[in-house]
């Protein structure tokens, strides 16, 4: 079911009415409508495979309660009179071991379930249709139980509330990967729909739809023509052009879909976690990953990176290297290994194909290398009298980061890794701009794209850039629009609607959300 | 105070919707109407009074000049062939003509590549407009809403983007380039000024049921007969997009329709260049076998089939130079092609 469809609009309208109605009659129970919406949406799209989310919810709900009980029991035992310090320590360690075992088995069970349906069965030639949102809600389930284990918050006593957290419908298509503590208040409390919220949600949804349909879907045929299994034979200029288009397409597709999800969720009073913060204004790849798919990045940081670097052998290694080669070496080595591990996992999260793993490693290695070489870069800056905080350097860093991300597109889109590498080589050594320009012109001649489609995508991209620049400067364009006189709002609103509707007439086909496939 | 706030909001909402509709219609006028050739054919059709014979088929069939054909044979012929016309649309054309005129003869001018099986949405839209165009305004609006609700809520449509876009007046129209905007606007404006609406000459006593794909005349006997034939054709390896069992079902429907409406029906494979079959590469022999199946298929149903390839005089009467590709006759040689087909069809249908 597409967000932009009669079925989805009808679904949302029906549940908003019900939500408001129940909110008036029994405010305390309004969250039940949200739960019903989530379950209905799940069943509507995945039918009986709702069992998967029920099992996940049940396992982490029960697991978290047991872990919490262990904690309480352990504390009580340690409070008993007459115990020596060592005895208390022994009790604590025993409790910790039991807790950890339980945590690992529950989290492992959920991750294994994901691995089974997403990776093992397709590889073993027994593919099953993935339950909707499994890649997202599994990570949410794991974060919930790990947070309870870490005493970040107390476990939720009501199973169906945990179920609602996992199957809240706007997040099911492509995230964001919400955290329990950041959404629970909104999910379980009463909310009354206000006109400003509706207006804000409307603009957000509309803007998201423009990104998805007027940019991403119009650029998709160009990307497909430039980045494919035959790309090794293309001149570097054409492959680079495809990768640049992909960078725009991917951002418009993913962030557009997230905008639409967040907008719908807002209508029910649930403010979901932010997933993008103008990533293409990043000055380094590491910063990019703190601004792009932020909820996945922070999940990896909190549940893979930090636990990994605090492992005893890793900490020992850090100490040993630091002692022999200095603090920077120790920190860079451990950070580098952890980053490579994290990005390999991020790559695999996208799918079992080799090119995703390669893409992840590409990101991890660059981040690790840039961290390790940072003192050398500083020395070069000093030697060349470059002001690292100057405007020129700032722009240079943004362009450099954007190009690094663009090159990653070769491995993200193209299946065979060798073809991706060849594109990389061609971009460096066989650029051939005139041949590339001819191939771009041929895209129009062959009907792959058209002038109206490209102009529409360009206009929408300019709007996207203006929006991003304003946000980067600390202004909220949507709040600005909402605060304008009605006729100004209308002009903006109608312009966006027209761009959106016109894009459908020049589009060569509507595509599903990219990240829905992950 | 509170009331005036609500009144203000309501007025604003009404104004918003009104502005939205005006914008939609202005944009609608800026677009090229979908299937301009079909529109042109239907407009010409609506201005033609006497029709007792129709040609249906794709662009290859446009080689027949219906006025010349009528002069030669004495029939009141009308050519409804349009580019990329699939069998479903050919059937629709036949039904449309039959609902307005007493059609005595119908000829399907066939090439072996038939573009589509399913009726293309845009064509339905255009036909609906033809049907509605002389109805009172409110009837048209109600019909549009009824049709759009039906399409939008269809099982295969409701979850897709199309379910929303159906409601956009220019949903099925295209803009091939910004250069055409001015031309399109002028065209629509002058048409509006003349009060000239699409299909305004048609007598609208249509029974809408006639547009159903299967008008309910398909008998068990037909079904049994079809199963056997379709299986034989389906087993024949053919290039993609060529006549297969699904398309043959449409042909069977056309035959049934003609039988029930006392229309003399013929299927004629259009004249072509000498190298016509070369285009089918390794399927060449199978395509020729298909022609034999088609003959049996149509004859079994009591109608006529003719493949012009079987005529030894074809390539001397219509030499390769008359064609601008494998199967399309150049405009200047259409009279010769018409004369040739007039002879073939008269012999076939006598």
């Amino acid at each position: 079911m597409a967000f932009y469809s009669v079925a989805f609009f009808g679904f949302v309208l029906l549940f908003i009415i019900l939500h408001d109605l129940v909110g008036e009659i029994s405010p305390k129970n309004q969250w039940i409508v949200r739960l019903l919406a989530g379950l209905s949406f799940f069943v509507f799209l995945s039918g009986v495979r709702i069992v998967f989310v029920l099992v996940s919810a049940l396992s982490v709900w029960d697991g978290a309660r047991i872990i919490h009980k262990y904690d309480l029991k352990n504390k009580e035992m340690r409070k008993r009179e007459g115990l020596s310090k060592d005895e208390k320590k022994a009790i604590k360690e025993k409790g910790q071991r039991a807790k950890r075992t339980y945590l690992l088995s529950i989290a492992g069970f959920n991750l294994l379930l994901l691995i089974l349906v997403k990776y093992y069965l397709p590889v073993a030639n027994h593919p099953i249709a993935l339950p909707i949102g499994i890649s997202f809600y599994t990570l949410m389930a794991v974060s919930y139980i790990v947070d309870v284990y870490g005493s970040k918050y107390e476990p939720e006593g009501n199973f169906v509330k945990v179920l609602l957290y996992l199957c809240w419908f706007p997040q099911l298509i492509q995230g964001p990967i919400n955290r329990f503590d950041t959404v629970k208040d909104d999910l379980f409390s009463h909310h009354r729909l206000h006109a400003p919220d509706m207006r804000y949600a409307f603009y957000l949804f509309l803007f998201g739809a423009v990104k998805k349909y007027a940019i991403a879907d119009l650029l998709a045929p160009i990307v497909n023509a430039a980045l494919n299994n035959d790309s090794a034979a293309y001149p570097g200029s054409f492959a680079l052009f495809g990768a640049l288009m992909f960078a725009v397409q991917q951002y418009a597709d993913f962030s557009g879909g997230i905008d639409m999800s967040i907008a719908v969720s807002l209508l029910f009073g649930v403010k979901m976690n932010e997933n993008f913060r103008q990533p293409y204004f990043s000055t380094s790849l590491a910063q990019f990953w703190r601004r792009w798919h932020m909820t996945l990045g922070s999940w990896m940081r909190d549940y893979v990176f930090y636990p990994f670097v605090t492992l005893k052998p890793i900490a020992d290694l850090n100490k040993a290297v630091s002692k022999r080669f200095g603090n920077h070496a120790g920190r860079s080595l451990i950070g580098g290994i952890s980053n490579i591990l994290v990005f390999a996992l991020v790559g695999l999260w996208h799918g079992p194909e080799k090119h995703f793993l390669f893409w992840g490693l590409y990101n991890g290695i660059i981040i690790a290398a840039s961290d390790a070489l940072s003192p050398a870069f500083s020395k070069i800056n000093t030697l060349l009298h470059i002001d690292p905080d100057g405007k020129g350097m700032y722009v240079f860093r943004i362009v450099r980061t954007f190009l690094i991300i663009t090159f990653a597109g070769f491995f993200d889109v193209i299946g065979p890794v060798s073809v991706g590498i060849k594109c990389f080589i061609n971009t460096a050594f066989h650029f051939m701009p005139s041949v590339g320009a001819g191939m771009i012109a041929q895209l129009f001649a062959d009907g792959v794209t058209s002038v109206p489609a490209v102009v529409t995508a360009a206009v929408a991209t300019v709007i996207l850039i203006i929006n991003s620049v304003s946000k980067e400067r600390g202004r909220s364009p949507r709040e600005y629009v909402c605060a304008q006189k009605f006729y100004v709002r209308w002009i903006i609103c109608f312009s966006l609607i027209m761009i959106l509707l016109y894009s459908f007439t020049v589009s060569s086909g509507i595509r599903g959300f990219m990240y829905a496939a992950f | 105070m509170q009331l005036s706030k609500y009144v203000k909001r309501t007025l604003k909402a009404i104004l918003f919707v009104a502005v939205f509709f005006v914008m939609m219609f202005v944009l609608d006028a800026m677009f090229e109407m979908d299937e301009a050739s079909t529109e042109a054919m239907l407009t010409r059709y609506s201005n033609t009074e006497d029709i007792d014979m129709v040609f249906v088929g794709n662009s290859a069939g446009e080689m027949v000049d219906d006025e010349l054909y009528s002069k030669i044979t004495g029939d009141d012929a009308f050519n409804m062939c349009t580019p990329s016309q699939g069998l479903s649309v050919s059937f629709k054309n036949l039904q449309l003509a039959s609902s307005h005129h007493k059609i005595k003869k119908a000829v399907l001018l066939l090439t072996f590549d038939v573009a589509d099986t399913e009726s293309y949405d845009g064509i339905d839209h255009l036909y609906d407009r033809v049907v509605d165009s002389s109805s009172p305004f409110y009837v048209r609006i109600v019909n549009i809403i009824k049709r759009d609700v039906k399409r939008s809520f269809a099982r295969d449509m409701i979850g897709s983007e199309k379910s929303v876009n159906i409601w956009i007046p220019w949903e099925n129209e295209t803009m091939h380039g910004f250069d055409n905007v001015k031309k399109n606007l002028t065209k629509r404006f002058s048409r509006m000024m003349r009060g000239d609406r699409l299909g305004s000459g048609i007598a609208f006593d249509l029974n809408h049921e006639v547009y159903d794909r299967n008008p309910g005349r398909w008998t068990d006997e037909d079904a049994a007969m079809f199963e056997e034939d379709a299986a034989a054709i389906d087993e024949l390896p053919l290039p993609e997009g060529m006549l297969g069992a699904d398309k043959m079902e449409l042909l069977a429907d056309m035959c049934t329709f003609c039988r029930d409406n006392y229309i003399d029906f013929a299927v004629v494979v259009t004249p072509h260049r000498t190298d016509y079959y070369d285009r089918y590469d390794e399927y060449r022999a199978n395509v020729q076998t298909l022609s034999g199946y088609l003959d049996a298929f149509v004859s079994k149903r009591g109608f006529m089939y003719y493949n012009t390839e079987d005529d030894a005089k074809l390539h001397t009467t219509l030499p390769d130079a008359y064609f601008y590709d494998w199967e399309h006759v150049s405009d200047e040689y259409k009279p010769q092609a018409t004369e040739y087909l007039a002879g073939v069809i008269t012999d076939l249908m006598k």
Side-chain angles (χ1 to χ4, degrees), chain B residues 324-348:
Chain B
Y324 66 82
D325 63 11
W326 276 308
E327 58 200 5
H328 293 93
V329 169
S330 306
D331 279 351
E332 56 191 300
Y333 298 112
K334 279 185 180 171
Q336 285 86 335
T338 308
E339 267 178 50
Y340 171 77
L341 279 171
V344 166
I345 293 166
T346 309
D347 282 349
L348 196 64

mmCIF file of all heavy atoms in Angstrom, chain B residues 324-348:
data_model
loop_
_atom_site.group_PDB
_atom_site.id
_atom_site.type_symbol
_atom_site.label_atom_id
_atom_site.label_comp_id
_atom_site.label_asym_id
_atom_site.label_seq_id
_atom_site.Cartn_x
_atom_site.Cartn_y
_atom_site.Cartn_z
ATOM 1 N N TYR B 324 6.837 2.112 -46.200
ATOM 2 C CA TYR B 324 7.962 2.824 -45.581
ATOM 3 C C TYR B 324 8.614 1.985 -44.477
ATOM 4 O O TYR B 324 9.642 2.349 -43.921
ATOM 5 C CB TYR B 324 7.568 4.218 -45.081
ATOM 6 C CG TYR B 324 6.583 4.287 -43.952
ATOM 7 C CD1 TYR B 324 6.978 4.119 -42.631
ATOM 8 C CD2 TYR B 324 5.239 4.558 -44.204
ATOM 9 C CE1 TYR B 324 6.069 4.200 -41.601
ATOM 10 C CE2 TYR B 324 4.325 4.639 -43.178
ATOM 11 C CZ TYR B 324 4.734 4.462 -41.875
ATOM 12 O OH TYR B 324 3.835 4.538 -40.855
ATOM 13 N N ASP B 325 7.983 0.893 -44.124
ATOM 14 C CA ASP B 325 8.642 -0.115 -43.280
ATOM 15 C C ASP B 325 8.010 -1.467 -43.617
ATOM 16 O O ASP B 325 7.379 -1.610 -44.652
ATOM 17 C CB ASP B 325 8.555 0.221 -41.781
ATOM 18 C CG ASP B 325 7.131 0.246 -41.256
ATOM 19 O OD1 ASP B 325 6.208 -0.193 -41.977
ATOM 20 O OD2 ASP B 325 6.924 0.696 -40.108
ATOM 21 N N TRP B 326 8.128 -2.451 -42.752
ATOM 22 C CA TRP B 326 7.649 -3.792 -43.063
ATOM 23 C C TRP B 326 6.156 -3.858 -43.454
ATOM 24 O O TRP B 326 5.756 -4.630 -44.290
ATOM 25 C CB TRP B 326 7.843 -4.705 -41.836
ATOM 26 C CG TRP B 326 9.201 -5.280 -41.733
ATOM 27 C CD1 TRP B 326 9.860 -5.951 -42.710
ATOM 28 C CD2 TRP B 326 10.052 -5.267 -40.606
ATOM 29 N NE1 TRP B 326 11.082 -6.361 -42.262
ATOM 30 C CE2 TRP B 326 11.230 -5.956 -40.961
ATOM 31 C CE3 TRP B 326 9.945 -4.747 -39.313
ATOM 32 C CZ2 TRP B 326 12.282 -6.136 -40.081
ATOM 33 C CZ3 TRP B 326 10.991 -4.924 -38.441
ATOM 34 C CH2 TRP B 326 12.152 -5.604 -38.827
ATOM 35 N N GLU B 327 5.344 -3.000 -42.765
ATOM 36 C CA GLU B 327 3.895 -3.196 -42.920
ATOM 37 C C GLU B 327 3.090 -1.916 -43.111
ATOM 38 O O GLU B 327 1.871 -1.978 -43.236
ATOM 39 C CB GLU B 327 3.358 -3.952 -41.708
ATOM 40 C CG GLU B 327 3.630 -3.244 -40.402
ATOM 41 C CD GLU B 327 3.555 -4.158 -39.188
ATOM 42 O OE1 GLU B 327 3.375 -5.372 -39.375
ATOM 43 O OE2 GLU B 327 3.668 -3.640 -38.081
ATOM 44 N N HIS B 328 3.759 -0.762 -43.106
ATOM 45 C CA HIS B 328 3.026 0.503 -43.241
ATOM 46 C C HIS B 328 3.200 1.080 -44.643
ATOM 47 O O HIS B 328 4.326 1.292 -45.096
ATOM 48 C CB HIS B 328 3.502 1.521 -42.211
ATOM 49 C CG HIS B 328 3.168 1.142 -40.808
ATOM 50 N ND1 HIS B 328 4.042 0.437 -40.012
ATOM 51 C CD2 HIS B 328 2.048 1.329 -40.075
ATOM 52 C CE1 HIS B 328 3.467 0.233 -38.830
ATOM 53 N NE2 HIS B 328 2.252 0.757 -38.855
ATOM 54 N N VAL B 329 2.052 1.347 -45.268
ATOM 55 C CA VAL B 329 2.086 1.894 -46.626
ATOM 56 C C VAL B 329 2.287 3.405 -46.555
ATOM 57 O O VAL B 329 1.679 4.083 -45.713
ATOM 58 C CB VAL B 329 0.750 1.555 -47.351
ATOM 59 C CG1 VAL B 329 0.615 2.324 -48.651
ATOM 60 C CG2 VAL B 329 0.655 0.059 -47.607
ATOM 61 N N SER B 330 3.137 3.928 -47.438
ATOM 62 C CA SER B 330 3.347 5.389 -47.481
ATOM 63 C C SER B 330 2.043 6.051 -47.930
ATOM 64 O O SER B 330 1.269 5.468 -48.705
ATOM 65 C CB SER B 330 4.440 5.737 -48.485
ATOM 66 O OG SER B 330 5.604 5.010 -48.176
ATOM 67 N N ASP B 331 1.851 7.274 -47.448
ATOM 68 C CA ASP B 331 0.592 7.989 -47.734
ATOM 69 C C ASP B 331 0.248 8.028 -49.224
ATOM 70 O O ASP B 331 -0.898 7.816 -49.613
ATOM 71 C CB ASP B 331 0.691 9.429 -47.201
ATOM 72 C CG ASP B 331 0.423 9.472 -45.705
ATOM 73 O OD1 ASP B 331 0.004 8.427 -45.153
ATOM 74 O OD2 ASP B 331 0.655 10.540 -45.100
ATOM 75 N N GLU B 332 1.260 8.281 -50.059
ATOM 76 C CA GLU B 332 0.979 8.442 -51.496
ATOM 77 C C GLU B 332 0.479 7.154 -52.162
ATOM 78 O O GLU B 332 -0.124 7.205 -53.236
ATOM 79 C CB GLU B 332 2.239 8.965 -52.210
ATOM 80 C CG GLU B 332 3.440 8.063 -51.994
ATOM 81 C CD GLU B 332 4.740 8.692 -52.468
ATOM 82 O OE1 GLU B 332 4.846 9.011 -53.659
ATOM 83 O OE2 GLU B 332 5.637 8.830 -51.618
ATOM 84 N N TYR B 333 0.735 6.016 -51.522
ATOM 85 C CA TYR B 333 0.296 4.744 -52.129
ATOM 86 C C TYR B 333 -0.941 4.155 -51.456
ATOM 87 O O TYR B 333 -1.327 3.033 -51.750
ATOM 88 C CB TYR B 333 1.451 3.727 -52.109
ATOM 89 C CG TYR B 333 2.636 4.195 -52.914
ATOM 90 C CD1 TYR B 333 3.829 4.539 -52.296
ATOM 91 C CD2 TYR B 333 2.537 4.310 -54.307
ATOM 92 C CE1 TYR B 333 4.902 5.003 -53.033
ATOM 93 C CE2 TYR B 333 3.615 4.768 -55.052
ATOM 94 C CZ TYR B 333 4.798 5.119 -54.415
ATOM 95 O OH TYR B 333 5.853 5.580 -55.153
ATOM 96 N N LYS B 334 -1.539 4.923 -50.589
ATOM 97 C CA LYS B 334 -2.741 4.413 -49.914
ATOM 98 C C LYS B 334 -3.878 4.114 -50.900
ATOM 99 O O LYS B 334 -4.605 3.128 -50.726
ATOM 100 C CB LYS B 334 -3.197 5.379 -48.812
ATOM 101 C CG LYS B 334 -2.385 5.197 -47.535
ATOM 102 C CD LYS B 334 -2.891 6.044 -46.395
ATOM 103 C CE LYS B 334 -2.010 5.800 -45.173
ATOM 104 N NZ LYS B 334 -2.302 6.716 -44.097
ATOM 105 N N PRO B 335 -4.062 4.931 -51.955
ATOM 106 C CA PRO B 335 -5.136 4.592 -52.922
ATOM 107 C C PRO B 335 -4.920 3.199 -53.529
ATOM 108 O O PRO B 335 -5.875 2.421 -53.649
ATOM 109 C CB PRO B 335 -5.008 5.684 -53.987
ATOM 110 C CG PRO B 335 -4.387 6.837 -53.266
ATOM 111 C CD PRO B 335 -3.458 6.234 -52.258
ATOM 112 N N GLN B 336 -3.698 2.871 -53.890
ATOM 113 C CA GLN B 336 -3.410 1.547 -54.467
ATOM 114 C C GLN B 336 -3.720 0.452 -53.450
ATOM 115 O O GLN B 336 -4.306 -0.579 -53.790
ATOM 116 C CB GLN B 336 -1.927 1.445 -54.885
ATOM 117 C CG GLN B 336 -1.577 2.192 -56.153
ATOM 118 C CD GLN B 336 -1.235 3.662 -55.887
ATOM 119 O OE1 GLN B 336 -1.671 4.238 -54.905
ATOM 120 N NE2 GLN B 336 -0.487 4.265 -56.803
ATOM 121 N N ALA B 337 -3.304 0.688 -52.171
ATOM 122 C CA ALA B 337 -3.558 -0.319 -51.131
ATOM 123 C C ALA B 337 -5.061 -0.476 -50.919
ATOM 124 O O ALA B 337 -5.565 -1.601 -50.741
ATOM 125 C CB ALA B 337 -2.878 0.103 -49.834
ATOM 126 N N THR B 338 -5.776 0.646 -50.941
ATOM 127 C CA THR B 338 -7.230 0.588 -50.743
ATOM 128 C C THR B 338 -7.890 -0.208 -51.866
ATOM 129 O O THR B 338 -8.757 -1.060 -51.621
ATOM 130 C CB THR B 338 -7.809 2.026 -50.692
ATOM 131 O OG1 THR B 338 -7.070 2.763 -49.726
ATOM 132 C CG2 THR B 338 -9.283 2.031 -50.350
ATOM 133 N N GLU B 339 -7.478 0.111 -53.103
ATOM 134 C CA GLU B 339 -8.049 -0.611 -54.259
ATOM 135 C C GLU B 339 -7.793 -2.107 -54.121
ATOM 136 O O GLU B 339 -8.679 -2.932 -54.342
ATOM 137 C CB GLU B 339 -7.393 -0.117 -55.554
ATOM 138 C CG GLU B 339 -8.161 0.999 -56.208
ATOM 139 C CD GLU B 339 -7.445 1.478 -57.464
ATOM 140 O OE1 GLU B 339 -7.088 0.622 -58.299
ATOM 141 O OE2 GLU B 339 -7.222 2.691 -57.580
ATOM 142 N N TYR B 340 -6.565 -2.434 -53.759
ATOM 143 C CA TYR B 340 -6.191 -3.845 -53.626
ATOM 144 C C TYR B 340 -7.071 -4.528 -52.576
ATOM 145 O O TYR B 340 -7.661 -5.576 -52.814
ATOM 146 C CB TYR B 340 -4.712 -3.952 -53.233
ATOM 147 C CG TYR B 340 -4.310 -5.355 -52.857
ATOM 148 C CD1 TYR B 340 -4.101 -6.324 -53.849
ATOM 149 C CD2 TYR B 340 -4.187 -5.726 -51.521
ATOM 150 C CE1 TYR B 340 -3.766 -7.630 -53.496
ATOM 151 C CE2 TYR B 340 -3.850 -7.024 -51.168
ATOM 152 C CZ TYR B 340 -3.637 -7.976 -52.156
ATOM 153 O OH TYR B 340 -3.319 -9.262 -51.817
ATOM 154 N N LEU B 341 -7.182 -3.869 -51.393
ATOM 155 C CA LEU B 341 -7.957 -4.494 -50.315
ATOM 156 C C LEU B 341 -9.450 -4.535 -50.643
ATOM 157 O O LEU B 341 -10.156 -5.477 -50.243
ATOM 158 C CB LEU B 341 -7.726 -3.745 -49.004
ATOM 159 C CG LEU B 341 -6.431 -4.139 -48.285
ATOM 160 C CD1 LEU B 341 -6.146 -3.212 -47.104
ATOM 161 C CD2 LEU B 341 -6.477 -5.584 -47.785
ATOM 162 N N ALA B 342 -9.913 -3.540 -51.393
ATOM 163 C CA ALA B 342 -11.337 -3.549 -51.797
ATOM 164 C C ALA B 342 -11.616 -4.820 -52.596
ATOM 165 O O ALA B 342 -12.642 -5.490 -52.392
ATOM 166 C CB ALA B 342 -11.657 -2.300 -52.605
ATOM 167 N N GLY B 343 -10.686 -5.146 -53.506
ATOM 168 C CA GLY B 343 -10.843 -6.359 -54.315
ATOM 169 C C GLY B 343 -10.831 -7.607 -53.453
ATOM 170 O O GLY B 343 -11.708 -8.475 -53.551
ATOM 171 N N VAL B 344 -9.849 -7.675 -52.568
ATOM 172 C CA VAL B 344 -9.696 -8.860 -51.704
ATOM 173 C C VAL B 344 -10.928 -9.052 -50.832
ATOM 174 O O VAL B 344 -11.504 -10.149 -50.752
ATOM 175 C CB VAL B 344 -8.436 -8.694 -50.818
ATOM 176 C CG1 VAL B 344 -8.432 -9.712 -49.690
ATOM 177 C CG2 VAL B 344 -7.172 -8.829 -51.651
ATOM 178 N N ILE B 345 -11.360 -7.971 -50.193
ATOM 179 C CA ILE B 345 -12.456 -8.085 -49.217
ATOM 180 C C ILE B 345 -13.790 -8.355 -49.922
ATOM 181 O O ILE B 345 -14.615 -9.141 -49.442
ATOM 182 C CB ILE B 345 -12.514 -6.815 -48.327
ATOM 183 C CG1 ILE B 345 -11.246 -6.778 -47.446
ATOM 184 C CG2 ILE B 345 -13.759 -6.800 -47.439
ATOM 185 C CD1 ILE B 345 -10.980 -5.459 -46.771
ATOM 186 N N THR B 346 -13.977 -7.733 -51.097
ATOM 187 C CA THR B 346 -15.228 -7.984 -51.836
ATOM 188 C C THR B 346 -15.308 -9.471 -52.204
ATOM 189 O O THR B 346 -16.358 -10.099 -52.022
ATOM 190 C CB THR B 346 -15.286 -7.110 -53.109
ATOM 191 O OG1 THR B 346 -15.016 -5.772 -52.721
ATOM 192 C CG2 THR B 346 -16.656 -7.167 -53.769
ATOM 193 N N ASP B 347 -14.210 -10.008 -52.675
ATOM 194 C CA ASP B 347 -14.196 -11.440 -53.014
ATOM 195 C C ASP B 347 -14.459 -12.308 -51.780
ATOM 196 O O ASP B 347 -15.188 -13.296 -51.835
ATOM 197 C CB ASP B 347 -12.821 -11.843 -53.588
ATOM 198 C CG ASP B 347 -12.676 -11.408 -55.029
ATOM 199 O OD1 ASP B 347 -13.707 -11.006 -55.607
ATOM 200 O OD2 ASP B 347 -11.530 -11.440 -55.551
ATOM 201 N N LEU B 348 -13.838 -11.889 -50.694
ATOM 202 C CA LEU B 348 -13.927 -12.677 -49.457
ATOM 203 C C LEU B 348 -15.341 -12.689 -48.890
ATOM 204 O O LEU B 348 -15.812 -13.702 -48.364
ATOM 205 C CB LEU B 348 -12.966 -12.057 -48.439
ATOM 206 C CG LEU B 348 -12.558 -12.851 -47.218
ATOM 207 C CD1 LEU B 348 -11.762 -14.085 -47.658
ATOM 208 C CD2 LEU B 348 -11.682 -11.999 -46.305
#
